[in-house]
Amino acid sequence: MPEPTNNTYDVVIVGSGFAGMYMLHKSRQMGFTAHVFERASDVGGTWYWNRYPGARCDVPSMEYSYQFDGDLQQEWEWTEKYSGQPEILRYASHVADRFDLRRDITFETSVTSAVYQESTDRWTVSTDEGATVTAQFLVMATGCLSSENTPSFAGMDNFEGPIYHTGKWPHEGVDFTGKRVAVIGTGSSGIQAIPIIADEAQHTTIFQRTANYSIPARNEPLEPEVQAEIKSNYAEFRAANSLQNGGFGSRIRRGEIAALEADEEERYLEFERRWDEGGFGFLSAYTDHLLSQESNDTAAEFVRRKIAGIVVDPNTAALLSPTQVLGCKRLCLDTGYFETFNRPNIDLVDVSEHPVSMTASGVASNGREVDVDCIVLATGFDAMTGTLLRIDIRGRDGLTIQDKWSAGPRTYLGLQIPGFPNLFTISGPGSPSVLTNMIVSIEQHVDWIADCMDHLRSNNRTTIEATVEAEDEWVDHVNTVADFTLFPSCNSWYLGANVPGKTRVFMPLIGYPPYVEKCNEVVANGYEGFVLT
Ligand code: N01
């Protein structure tokens, strides 16, 4: 395993998912010395850990991939419209080989602390393996969904069988054949895993707290002609995607009218077409689905009717029918999720009113106990802030990130935090991150950070630090935009509402590509909102 060869670097990067890998490559390209620390034993980030059955990306493969290198994007062949986890992990590994990244990555090593030394304007970074290095720049490429959320269920220690979390799945896989399985959680991970687990297990019981909307993914093999056609003009395709809301989907038909401007039948046909096509295009039928409750109701009602049409048992169909705003929690894409509830070997238990607890032999709620051999927790993540807050990060005057963010995360552009000079977050809270194609956002952030480091070097500056005024204005902006939409209306992880005790703040910025324009404008105005020393 490559240990750091020096103890001083221009850049230390934490994490070797898609953000950390590109940050390393870009830093090297620009002549900076860089080193990465990664807690996993290989690259891939979220795709390294989330190996649960059915794990698959919900952004098409031809878009969920790097565009920074023309040859790379030409030579890699995707096999499916939406790639499964194994293929994405192979791609990450290929990128690491191709750019010889692993020689500068120390694996199986977690950064435990990062302390800013005011006397030297450098960060001292320490790891759980006892390494200590210093760097001018510290880049947190720690991912948005990288700390799994394991609720403390009463009696959890008593359960005698194995408990698996979808976000930390055993590498050797899990054989559910002949097993009685409980699955807790029906977000994107649960909805992808349940059909496959139910197909394999003797019996599966789903413990659902909130029913979720899901649209058929309609995954299919990626025809070579389709791939070749996109590759023949890849740069143009990428540029067109970058201009779309969320940075993806230039081939999605975008509706141009509000839902209520269409008559009922026209609307029904439009939703039906999009349901048949599958994917996130469903959300683009009309312009105002996340702005107007009435508009949202039309789409939500359509999906509820679909569920009622698919699920044979009316009680189960009713339980599976969501009532919150559609899209307020991230919309799920599935393959046969609702159909799975017609199997004879699956039960659905509503735990919306009564918490789940565990016993030696199973899972209980509201006095009903179900004996199982193993439990799958599809209970999500302490998103966007969880991983950063687990590291002892201390900025100027010993300010800790835990104190700085005690009332929720505060950043400028989701890139920097006042009091923490030369520390950058990739896809941090306050940036569009999780509301976009993550790889597009990552590349935009890495390019911005690398240009910024280069700017300091060329102008004989040592540090860059966001001002408190810029941060205040930015946080206000993020909140104002969110409040203009229906996003804050439900208990989503975007708000931190899934983790007991977490401050309720809408963390991502809604608005990509305007965000990119803002970042470019900040640079054009001489790094407006930052102080350079
Ligand atoms: O996590 P989630 P996830 N008792 O937080 C339930 C990305 N992703 O891993 O809704 C009982 O969405 C919780 O219930 P509730 C994607 O961005 C992408 O599924 O809080 N239940 C919910 O049902 C996604 O949004 C892909 O009431 C409890 C579930 O657990 C994000 O990752 C695939 C509970 C958690 O759902 C997270 O998805 C997978 C408790 N104490 C993930 N605590 C694709 O690209 C939580 N729950 C397709």
Side-chain angles (χ1 to χ4, degrees):
M1 175 166 67
E3 297 298 332
T5 43
N6 305 325
N7 52 15
T8 63
Y9 292 95
D10 295 325
V11 196
V12 160
I13 300 158
V14 187
S16 69
F18 283 113
M21 287 202 293
Y22 180 42
M23 191 70 227
L24 171 60
H25 175 65
K26 185 84 186 180
S27 302
R28 279 185 189 166
Q29 260 189 337
M30 297 185 80
F32 292 105
T33 58
H35 195 81
V36 182
F37 292 104
E38 165 60 61
R39 73 187 156 108
S41 59
D42 204 355
V43 298
T46 196
W47 301 105
Y48 174 94
W49 297 104
N50 285 268
R51 299 172 187 233
Y52 61 85
R56 185 176 294 288
C57 191
D58 52 11
V59 172
S61 316
M62 294 304 287
E63 302 185 50
Y64 191 83
S65 46
Y66 287 124
Q67 56 186 300
F68 69 79
D69 188 282
D71 291 341
L72 169 68
Q73 68 177 4
Q74 286 296 332
E75 74 200 13
W76 184 263
E77 298 283 328
W78 296 105
T79 63
E80 292 178 275
K81 179 174 179 184
Y82 297 104
S83 299
Q85 174 273 335
E87 189 167 15
I88 302 176
L89 194 58
R90 277 199 300 280
Y91 170 73
S93 184
H94 167 76
V95 173
D97 288 341
R98 196 181 193 289
F99 298 103
D100 191 16
L101 297 180
R102 290 188 182 87
R103 74 179 149 87
D104 284 323
I105 307 177
T106 306
F107 292 106
E108 294 175 13
T109 302
S110 295
V111 166
T112 49
S113 76
V115 179
Y116 183 67
Q117 311 291 347
E118 294 187 51
S119 53
T120 55
D121 289 324
R122 293 180 70 79
W123 284 91
T124 299
V125 178
S126 306
T127 74
D128 61 351
E129 292 293 316
T132 298
V133 299
T134 75
Q136 182 182 1
F137 301 104
L138 177 60
V139 180
M140 304 307 292
T142 40
C144 295
L145 298 163
S146 47
S147 282
E148 74 276 9
N149 169 42
T150 300
S152 41
F153 296 106
M156 195 163 172
D157 290 343
N158 300 335
F159 182 66
E160 286 170 357
I163 300 179
Y164 308 105
H165 195 293
T166 47
K168 216 175 183 183
W169 201 255
H171 285 199
E172 62 281 13
V174 179
D175 183 2
F176 292 108
T177 314
K179 299 272 193 301
R180 297 160 306 162
V181 185
V183 180
I184 304 174
T186 51
S188 302
S189 303
I191 281 177
Q192 287 186 327
I194 286 165
I196 297 173
I197 294 175
D199 196 36
E200 200 174 296
Q202 183 200 106
H203 193 91
T204 307
T205 309
I206 313 302
F207 292 83
Q208 171 189 276
R209 188 164 71 180
T210 309
N212 234 324
Y213 296 95
S214 188
I215 304 291
R218 313 246 184 249
N219 184 37
E220 58 190 11
L222 186 56
E223 298 304 333
E225 312 79 68
V226 174
Q227 184 149 199
E229 183 267 319
I230 290 176
K231 284 185 175 176
S232 69
N233 225 338
Y234 222 154
E236 212 168 276
F237 179 67
R238 299 286 200 179
N241 293 333
S242 298
L243 295 176
Q244 304 301 314
N245 193 1
F248 73 101
S250 59
R251 294 193 174 176
I252 292 176
R253 285 175 297 109
R254 310 265 168 174
E256 287 172 2
I257 56 169
L260 297 186
E261 286 179 61
D263 69 35
E264 204 177 332
E265 187 180 348
E266 198 183 316
R267 222 170 26 232
Y268 172 80
L269 290 173
E270 185 61 29
F271 287 142
E272 189 70 33
R273 266 194 297 274
R274 288 175 188 260
W275 178 273
D276 289 344
E277 284 165 13
F280 281 130
F282 187 82
L283 283 178
S284 299
Y286 297 103
T287 51
D288 58 343
H289 74 277
L290 271 163
L291 299 174
S292 147
Q293 182 69 54
E294 292 74 20
S295 159
N296 199 280
D297 288 344
T298 63
E301 188 50 30
F302 177 86
V303 177
R304 285 192 288 266
R305 281 196 204 159
K306 281 288 178 197
I307 296 170
I310 296 170
V311 180
V312 175
D313 173 48
N315 292 331
T316 307
L319 269 185
L320 287 167
S321 292
T323 51
Q324 71 273 14
V325 161
L326 182 147
C328 165
K329 287 172 186 266
R330 188 183 165 105
L331 184 65
C332 303
L333 302 189
D334 72 275
T335 302
Y337 176 64
F338 295 115
E339 290 80 351
T340 297
F341 289 87
N342 293 333
R343 302 180 65 103
N345 65 340
I346 191 164
D347 282 322
L348 179 64
V349 179
D350 172 19
V351 297
S352 57
E353 303 282 335
H354 304 279
V356 170
S357 60
M358 294 178 190
T359 64
S361 58
V363 179
S365 176
N366 194 24
R368 174 178 171 192
E369 189 179 333
V370 181
D371 282 350
V372 295
D373 301 306
C374 58
I375 299 174
V376 173
L377 300 181
T379 45
F381 301 90
D382 183 354
M384 305 199 75
T385 56
T387 306
L388 290 169
L389 290 173
R390 282 176 199 187
I391 304 174
D392 182 12
I393 302 176
R394 290 167 195 261
R396 215 180 268 295
D397 301 323
L399 175 66
T400 64
I401 187 128
Q402 290 78 9
D403 279 345
K404 172 76 190 172
W405 284 3
S406 59
R410 300 181 68 78
T411 69
Y412 178 38
L413 300 173
L415 276 165
Q416 259 226 343
I417 311 159
F420 298 81
N422 288 4
L423 183 151
F424 297 99
T425 48
I426 298 184
S427 61
S431 76
S433 59
V434 293
L435 300 176
T436 67
N437 174 354
M438 284 301 295
I439 300 198
V440 167
S441 280
I442 283 169
E443 287 190 304
Q444 185 263 342
H445 264 194
V446 170
D447 290 343
W448 193 97
I449 294 166
D451 287 346
C452 174
M453 298 189 318
D454 187 46
H455 177 85
L456 294 183
R457 179 172 60 182
S458 333
N459 290 278
N460 288 324
R461 304 298 181 95
T462 315
T463 64
I464 179 164
E465 181 177 353
T467 67
V468 173
E469 296 72 35
E471 174 201 67
D472 287 346
E473 264 181 47
W474 188 252
V475 171
D476 279 353
H477 172 64
V478 174
N479 288 327
T480 307
V481 178
D483 288 342
F484 193 67
T485 71
L486 301 173
F487 270 112
S489 67
C490 72
N491 290 328
S492 68
W493 60 258
Y494 298 135
L495 281 160
N498 61 327
V499 177
K502 190 164 173 174
T503 313
R504 196 180 169 100
V505 174
F506 194 80
M507 294 183 283
L509 168 76
I510 302 160
Y512 189 104
Y515 171 78
V516 181
E517 286 160 31
K518 171 71 183 174
C519 289
N520 295 341
E521 205 179 284
V522 163
V523 175
N525 292 337
Y527 287 91
E528 190 176 25
F530 292 96
V531 174
L532 280 59
T533 66

